Amino acid sequence: MNENPQYTLNVRDVEREELEVDVLLVGAGPANLACALRLQQLFAERGLDDKVILVLDKAEEVGHHTLSGAVMNPRGIAELFPDWKERGFPIEREVTYDAMAFLRKNGKHNRFDGMLTPPQLRNHGNYIVSLNKVVRWMGEQVEAAGIELYAGFAAAEVLYDGERVVGVQTRDSGIAKDGSKKATFEPGMNVKAGVTVFGEGTRGSLAKGLIRRLHLDEGRNPQTYGTGVKEIWEIPAERAKQLYGSVFHCGGYPLGSDGYGGGWIYGISENHINLGYVVGLDHADAKLDPHALFVKFKQHPFVADLIAGGKVVRYGAKTLPEGGYFAMPRLQGDGFCLVGDTAGFLNTATLKGIHLAIKSGLLAAEAIADAVAAGDTSSAKLARYTELFEASWAREELWGVRNWRQAFDGGMLAGMLDAAVQRVTGGRGLVKHRAGHADHTTTRHVSESRFEFPTYNDTTAMDKLTDVYWSGAIHEEDQPSHLIVKDPSICVERCTREYGNPCQHFCPAAVYEWPSEAAEPGVLVNASNCVHCKTCDIADPYENIEWVVPEGGGGPKYVDM
Ligand code: SF4
């Protein structure tokens, strides 16, 4: 029953408590919380009030591991709760102004607003939110509805019966670095369920194994990702008030035209702005450093003038699934569904995924309620989720940008040309179905690197370690590393020479270090700093790093992000 995945940190020789539920949701993000709430409504409508729904989350508190830009299209939440505003849904502000700024290397910029704002970046009718607050609020609705929600429980392994998913095993706690049991040892539970819903966020560690094992991505483009780095700044009130409700998206410097990405600035309160930078992980430069790009973005006069006299109060990083419709895996199988970022529900053109994540949860709930009511949770029965998706506005939206991200593979200018054609061809563009590539395959030899690092300081251009402090990241130190370097000899014998050990650059939390004074060359893994962004699991050119869950409760502590 409990077939080990390739990498597990749980011990084998213990009795485990077993818990049986009808529907288990792994991860407390917007998709799974929406799914749980709709399921509860549907079970009540069908007189199935005895069905048990359980949500597990690896964060110490719901929301601590949830981070986004975020400007939200309200369509998803309005479907779940038509009276979402009256219920107290947390909004920072409705968008009052939006613009695109093209930053130039010489410190100047061009601003495009009003009719000149690119259509995909127009945000009137959308809302600036803190996803972390949104998820906390949704978690409260879940608990108020009587649904079980356990925070601090990290799902470590998928439980299978043959090829059928029958639940998960949570991570053991109290195991020392050397693998021995400490006095505090507590074995993880086996949680069995008729249906397990994986809403673990981007590059879910269990979903990754499941997708590979059951070939859920067969015939699809490989998923491609971006890494976003974000800070919240407290700035002088006069300037913050002017920006409150404004949304700026920025292109040009520092990325230039040979990669995909850009920056953002959102006015979130009368004292605070949130700003960040996202870059596609298919960038060929072996020294690509998303955090360094963010620092350079902050040093451009357009941004530097906005944050002058302010101070950083929060930091975070996450990856986004950018591949679009053609990169989405099969959404269900025997005993399980995939939702939200885990399944690639993101509109990369508009940089929006919260409404799609919520919609995926709602659609999955419809299919699961039918399946549970019929006593048949097979893949064939749960395939109704895919049918509902294919008939929904979510599919229509994603179909309209199906070739968006891949069109930028040839660089920014080629992408913009194709994007213009996509607008008049319903998302087709110049090519009917653009093929994709896995990000780890695109890195070029380190000798070809042109990446220029910024000059850091203590006030506006902080280094990674200073920023990690503002993420609140903390893990139990005496536990096996949740970042598994599968074959350390590759790092030393090949990677140094071929790619210059890019892990030290692409990780936005200074987890990977190459101490020059060490007697033996090798990577030092500061796992405690990890903010769970999954960049290393995606971008390592040899796929030599495996991210697995640490003990429940470990990780960043995002608040108001
Ligand atoms: Fe992200 Fe990996 Fe660094 Fe953790 S170790 S912060 S998952 S890149």
Side-chain angles (χ1 to χ4, degrees), residues 171-388:
R171 169 86 193 253
D172 293 345
S173 60
I175 301 181
K177 255 190 175 126
D178 63 5
S180 62
K181 293 178 198 159
K182 298 190 279 191
T184 54
F185 175 73
E186 291 267 357
M189 291 183 288
N190 285 336
V191 186
K192 304 278 187 62
V195 183
T196 304
V197 186
F198 295 92
E200 302 172 275
T202 313
R203 189 74 155 197
S205 52
L206 297 189
K208 175 183 162 184
L210 187 60
I211 289 167
R212 285 201 177 154
R213 175 177 171 138
L214 301 181
H215 311 290
L216 302 179
D217 55 355
E218 200 172 318
R220 321 287 161 109
N221 281 351
Q223 186 56 272
T224 185
Y225 300 88
T227 291
V229 175
K230 169 180 169 181
E231 287 174 348
I232 306 268
W233 276 70
E234 188 179 316
I235 61 169
E238 199 178 317
R239 204 180 310 136
K241 276 183 192 154
Q242 276 174 9
L243 289 169
Y244 190 23
S246 298
V247 167
F248 291 91
H249 289 108
C250 304
Y253 183 83
L255 194 55
S257 62
D258 55 354
Y260 183 82
W264 73 83
I265 300 154
Y266 304 153
I268 56 171
S269 79
E270 295 193 349
N271 300 95
H272 295 95
I273 59 172
N274 109 34
L275 62 159
Y277 204 87
V278 62
V279 58
L281 291 176
D282 58 345
H283 199 294
D285 199 306
K287 292 187 182 173
L288 179 77
D289 186 327
H291 180 273
L293 283 172
F294 177 52
V295 169
K296 289 167 80 170
F297 171 64
K298 285 188 292 179
Q299 290 172 326
H300 189 282
F302 178 74
V303 185
D305 289 349
L306 296 180
I307 61 176
K311 60 176 186 184
V312 70
V313 294
R314 301 265 186 275
Y315 171 76
K318 84 172 287 260
T319 43
L320 306 77
E322 294 183 338
Y325 180 83
F326 289 134
M328 293 172 79
R330 175 151 61 86
L331 298 178
Q332 86 294 319
D334 287 325
F336 73 90
C337 296
L338 307 178
V339 296
D341 276 357
T342 296
F345 279 88
L346 178 85
N347 182 335
T348 311
T350 61
L351 297 166
K352 285 184 187 54
I354 301 171
H355 65 303
L356 293 166
I358 290 173
K359 182 66 175 175
S360 73
L362 299 180
L363 296 171
E366 299 277 342
I368 293 166
D370 280 355
V372 170
D376 174 6
T377 56
S378 65
S379 184
K381 189 76 182 167
L382 290 170
R384 178 155 166 69
Y385 170 32
T386 297
E387 290 163 18
L388 289 169

Side-chain angles (χ1 to χ4, degrees), residues 227 317 319 468 475 482-483 503 506-512 525-527 529-537 545 547:
T227 291
T319 43
V468 168
H475 294 80
H482 69 282
L483 298 151
C503 56
F506 58 57
C507 171
V511 168
Y512 301 97
V525 181
N526 304 304
N529 291 355
C530 178
V531 296
H532 296 197
C533 74
K534 318 286 180 65
T535 303
C536 53
D537 192 282
I545 300 174
W547 190 98

Side-chain angles (χ1 to χ4, degrees), residues 538-549:
I538 296 162
D540 182 81
Y542 306 95
E543 296 187 281
N544 198 27
I545 300 174
E546 187 85 11
W547 190 98
V548 298
V549 286

